[in-house]
């Protein structure tokens, strides 16, 4: 086992409810293994390039504060969306990064993020190899979208899925309250991968029918067929609920929101706005065709920062991948991502491993087609069997004076 | 102390996260005091008129199920929006209701709801007096909007306020993640009363600045001044957050959403949709004027059914007003609403009382003007001092297999 003097860690891409648990895993494990300084990049690699770094021990001084960090949503260190240029294209950025890292006497570099972050780790570790730098580069997986290859799942997905499934149950109760027909359309994050939208299925149980239809980005949505199915469902039940991914596409391959909302968007003079959500589009279409009460609910950014309802399984695994990244660096690994490997499905047992980050970066893991029940616009039991263990158990925030307490870096 | 043979209870209006705690309070207290049958109206008075009633003991058979009922959001019995005709106008409805109640041998009638429900209690108790019926009519306050007169506050408000304040804290962390200017606009329920929008102020603390501006329906919003204030704030901070009530109005007295969104709505061919939210309108205006990243987040129906994060104070008081309604009926009261009376502010001590429902029904309690800091678009410390005790403490759902367990009446 090697030694670590100074290490640096950054967070990148969209936040999750448990991304700071991975940061806590890196920090605590590096500290326990004798790292002298544990630096944090403010706003990822973009901040590093501006030498905006903090010495984390100045801010996180006790076990209590480590626990608080785990329970604080969004990226404690700040995030960025910065993609390194291709190697050989503009090496001045790489020279600058390594000059800064060498000046700080960094042994190991940890980056917590999704596909783009793994691309960063792949490039930096390749460049290090080229110039003969001993700095180790390890990726720590994180994304609510669950779209990273090789790893069984990604930390952040379980908590987002738990929030979504729990909320679907609550909204189902709400939708049933009046003795009248209604259609509720829930718009869920996931531009190309339907994992989170599929997670609405976890709401189904003996006390809840869950969504009636699940519209995923993996398969084209026949909107006329969907309206027909809703009309059919309305003969049997008052409240019909449809879950749709923000990235669902129509038969012509275009995003549904583009197809339906274009006329409305075009007259909008402001120009800065993203397209109206796919959920609103389905709700409009249903209202037009079936003349019944409709409601569109956007789950919005809350699904990635609702740390008041996280899955303890997810929180623990997020910590473990951070801790395992440090152990991998101690073992001399570089150019690797920590993966989660499901050793046993029932009872659920999961361990960490390391994997060549070049074989992961820039791939996008979609929901397997065989887990989609195309005819019924639903998911198969295989998906439920896969996802159910990931949303188990709870870990509540430290509540102070009625609201969750968070730890923040002072300005 | 009198006796109760058969009692009936109904729920009306919009649901809350704790409305079933009041139902549990009625049920358990009536049962403990010897009521023979405790009937529940399906979908309030509308269901009663169709004789759609259930014997609650057939469905709630144990203390565990009473606890589960408390933790189930939305109206267990179903709800309605039914307003009784004025007395003397069409008494046939009243004759029908009393015929049904007499047939069921009802001694006491409990109605859990807001202003319209209290109007129902006022009318039914007046009619009972006119015809010499001994049936007692007691109102149980409920509304997230906190707009009922006389009572210090209404059950349902505290939990909605807790969800809102907690969510604002989480969204604040999310909004700060990138090193770039952004404006987030949060749209909160409350058409005429700003209590819930004001509750966003409870997010402010040593770890969170909370919303920067709070736009309430009680005072006209000068949208140009708001944009100026946002521009001013952007000189000092990256992330600016604005909370706005869905019912905020402009200087001309029109709803803001109407003012700004009309052109977009008018070309919408569907016709069934409500106006776009006020939050989206402010976000559009800011994007247009200040050319920065904006995001509008609608809190949607989740704010009234998020039973996964309730205030235990609220949950307990919701039970207590239900229980006190039964005790009031036992004491021979009728035509009354149960009120909450704050006996002491610090430490917070609150008791129940009874009050003439005719002096409560159809009034609307708005946020006091003196609790609004007009110049700064904020609320005063008096509001915080009033609201903070109401969001205290937690009571979590019974979590089964990763999601909250609810109790439902089988179809």
């Amino acid at each position: 086992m090697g030694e670590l003097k100074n290490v640096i860690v950054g967070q990148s891409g969209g936040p999750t409810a448990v991304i700071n648990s991975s940061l806590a895993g890196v920090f605590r494990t590096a500290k326990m293994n004798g790292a002298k300084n544990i630096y944090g990049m403010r706003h990822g690699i973009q901040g590093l390039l501006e030498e905006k770094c903090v010495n984390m021990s100045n801010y996180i001084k006790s076990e209590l504060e480590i626990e608080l960090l785990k329970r604080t949503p969004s990226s404690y260190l700040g995030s960025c969306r910065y993609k390194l240029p291709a190697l050989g294209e503009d090496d001045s950025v790489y020279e600058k990064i390594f000059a800064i890292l060498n000046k700080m006497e960094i042994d190991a570099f940890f980056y917590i993020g999704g596909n783009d972050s793994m691309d960063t780790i792949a490039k930096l570790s390749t460049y290090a190899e080229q110039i003969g730098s001993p700095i180790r580069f390890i990726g720590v997986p994180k994304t609510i979208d669950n779209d990273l290859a090789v790893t069984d799942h990604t930390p952040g997905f379980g908590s987002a899925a738990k929030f979504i499934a729990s909320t679907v149950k609550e909204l189902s109760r709400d939708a049933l309250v009046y003795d009248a027909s209604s259609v509720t359309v829930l718009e869920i994050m996931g531009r190309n991968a339907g994992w989170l939208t599929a997670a609405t299925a976890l709401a189904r149980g003996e006390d809840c029918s869950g969504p009636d239809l699940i519209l995923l980005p993996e398969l084209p949505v026949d909107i006329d067929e969907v309206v027909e199915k809703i009309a059919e469902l309305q003969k049997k039940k008052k409240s019909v609920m449809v879950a749709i991914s923000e990235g669902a596409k129509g038969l012509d391959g275009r995003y549904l929101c583009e197809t339906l909302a274009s006329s409305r968007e075009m007259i909008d003079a402001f120009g800065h706005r993203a397209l109206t959500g796919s959920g609103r589009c389905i709700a409009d279409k249903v209202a037009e065709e079936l003349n019944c009460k409709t409601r569109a609910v956007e789950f919005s950014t809350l699904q990635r920062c609702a740390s008041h309802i996280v899955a303890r399984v997810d929180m623990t695994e997020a910590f473990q991948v951070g801790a395992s990244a440090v152990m991998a660096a101690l073992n001399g690994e570089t150019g690797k991502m920590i993966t989660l490997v499901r050793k046993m499905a029932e009872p659920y047992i999961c361990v960490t491993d390391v994997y060549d980050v070049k074989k992961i970066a820039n791939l996008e893991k979609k929901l397997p087609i065989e887990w989609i029940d195309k005819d019924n616009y639903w998911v198969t039991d295989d998906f439920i069997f896969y996802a159910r263990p990931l949303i188990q158990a709870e870990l509540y925030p430290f509540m102070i004076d009625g609201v969750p307490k968070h730890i923040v870096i002072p300005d």
Side-chain angles (χ1 to χ4, degrees), chain A:
Chain A
M1 184 80 80
E3 272 186 11
L4 293 173
K5 191 175 168 194
N6 297 336
V7 306
I8 192 162
V9 54
Q11 297 173 301
S12 180
T16 80
V18 300
I19 185 173
N20 291 328
S21 186
S22 292
L23 183 63
V26 170
F27 176 74
R28 191 171 187 280
T29 310
K31 208 175 162 191
M32 283 182 63
N33 283 279
K36 198 174 154 205
N37 293 297
I38 302 151
Y39 295 108
M41 310 170 210
R42 297 303 313 273
H43 303 289
I45 199 104
Q46 194 178 316
L48 178 67
L49 280 163
E50 298 165 22
E51 298 188 52
K52 289 183 183 164
C53 297
V54 293
N55 192 323
M56 286 185 64
S57 301
N58 292 344
Y59 298 104
I60 305 190
K61 298 184 176 178
S62 65
E63 288 289 333
L64 180 64
E65 285 177 334
I66 291 174
E67 283 302 313
L68 190 51
L69 179 62
K70 286 164 67 175
R71 289 163 170 83
T72 297
S74 190
S75 313
Y76 174 75
L77 293 170
S79 185
C80 67
R81 291 205 184 275
Y82 185 93
K83 193 144 181 163
L84 284 171
L87 279 164
E89 202 175 75
D90 174 15
D91 282 0
S92 66
V93 175
Y94 293 92
E95 286 160 19
K96 186 168 180 190
I97 290 170
F98 277 79
I100 294 166
L101 296 179
N102 287 332
K103 191 170 71 177
M104 296 172 81
E105 299 183 56
I106 299 295
D107 297 321
F109 177 112
F110 305 103
Y111 214 40
I112 306 167
N115 261 314
D116 287 344
S117 310
M118 296 313 132
D119 178 72
T120 297
I121 289 292
K123 284 171 175 162
L124 290 174
S125 59
T126 304
Y127 186 81
E129 202 181 339
Q130 286 174 10
I131 64 166
S133 164
I135 303 175
R136 279 147 274 176
F137 293 88
I138 308 285
V140 181
K142 170 278 329 173
T143 166
I144 61 167
D145 291 327
N146 200 38
D147 61 353
L148 282 177
V150 183
T151 186
D152 179 79
H153 56 280
T154 54
F157 170 66
S159 292
K162 185 186 188 82
F163 169 77
I164 288 167
S166 298
T167 301
V168 168
K169 288 199 73 171
E170 294 174 340
L171 292 173
S172 294
R173 300 259 39 87
D174 188 273
L176 279 163
V177 79
Y178 296 114
D179 191 15
S181 277
S182 70
V183 176
T184 308
V185 187
L186 313 173
E187 184 179 321
I188 316 281
M189 278 186 176
R191 208 69 184 156
N192 301 309
W195 295 101
L196 284 178
T197 308
T200 57
L202 298 168
R204 187 170 282 183
E206 56 187 14
D207 58 350
C208 181
S209 57
D212 298 288
L213 304 173
I214 299 177
L215 311 183
L216 301 160
E218 279 82 0
L219 287 177
V221 172
D222 181 341
I223 192 160
D224 293 321
E225 192 181 73
V226 167
V227 173
E228 268 172 46
K229 280 196 180 280
I230 292 171
E232 204 58 41
L233 284 159
Q234 285 188 316
K235 292 178 189 162
K236 288 179 290 182
K237 56 195 301 195
K238 287 183 301 186
S239 165
V240 175
M241 195 167 261
V242 179
I244 184 167
S245 164
E246 58 181 5
K249 296 175 198 76
L251 291 177
D252 59 0
R254 290 166 64 205
Y255 287 121
L256 274 185
C257 50
E258 288 179 338
T259 322
L260 289 170
S262 52
S263 63
R264 192 161 57 241
E265 292 301 321
M266 278 169 67
I267 63 98
D268 189 320
F270 307 141
H272 306 283
R273 232 172 90 187
L275 283 170
T276 306
S278 56
R280 175 65 74 186
C281 301
I282 294 280
D284 282 350
K285 182 80 175 171
V286 167
E288 184 193 9
E289 300 272 334
L290 303 180
N291 196 23
C292 68
K293 194 182 154 200
T294 60
R295 178 185 291 147
V297 178
E298 266 185 65
F299 274 40
S300 81
T301 43
L302 195 51
Q303 62 201 296
R304 72 179 187 200
C305 65
S307 66
H308 66 270
I309 178 164
V310 302
R312 188 173 190 132
V313 165
D314 187 36
M315 179 67 89
T316 302
E317 290 177 347
F319 187 90
Q320 287 168 340
V321 293
S324 297
V326 174
M327 299 313 288
L330 279 167
N331 286 331
E333 302 273 14
T334 186
K336 299 282 161 55
M337 184 185 91
I338 305 301
T339 60
L340 289 165
V341 180
R342 196 180 301 223
K343 298 301 275 187
M344 199 182 289
E346 182 65 41
Y348 173 78
I349 297 175
C350 193
V351 299
T352 62
D353 202 354
V354 293
Y355 204 89
D356 184 352
V357 73
K358 291 184 205 74
K359 293 177 180 158
I360 294 175
N362 303 314
L363 295 171
E364 196 173 42
K365 186 175 72 177
K366 297 188 180 182
L367 195 65
I369 295 297
E370 61 271 23
W371 286 3
I372 303 175
D373 177 356
K374 189 171 177 293
D375 294 337
N376 295 305
Y377 285 101
W378 238 73
V379 290
T380 67
D381 288 345
D382 287 335
F383 170 77
I384 304 289
F385 191 67
Y386 163 83
R388 181 70 70 188
L390 312 182
I391 67 164
Q392 293 297 319
E394 291 75 43
L395 187 72
Y396 294 110
F398 292 154
M399 299 295 290
I400 309 264
D401 229 5
V403 290
K405 174 76 183 168
H406 299 148
I407 186 167
V408 297
I409 299 185
D411 277 330

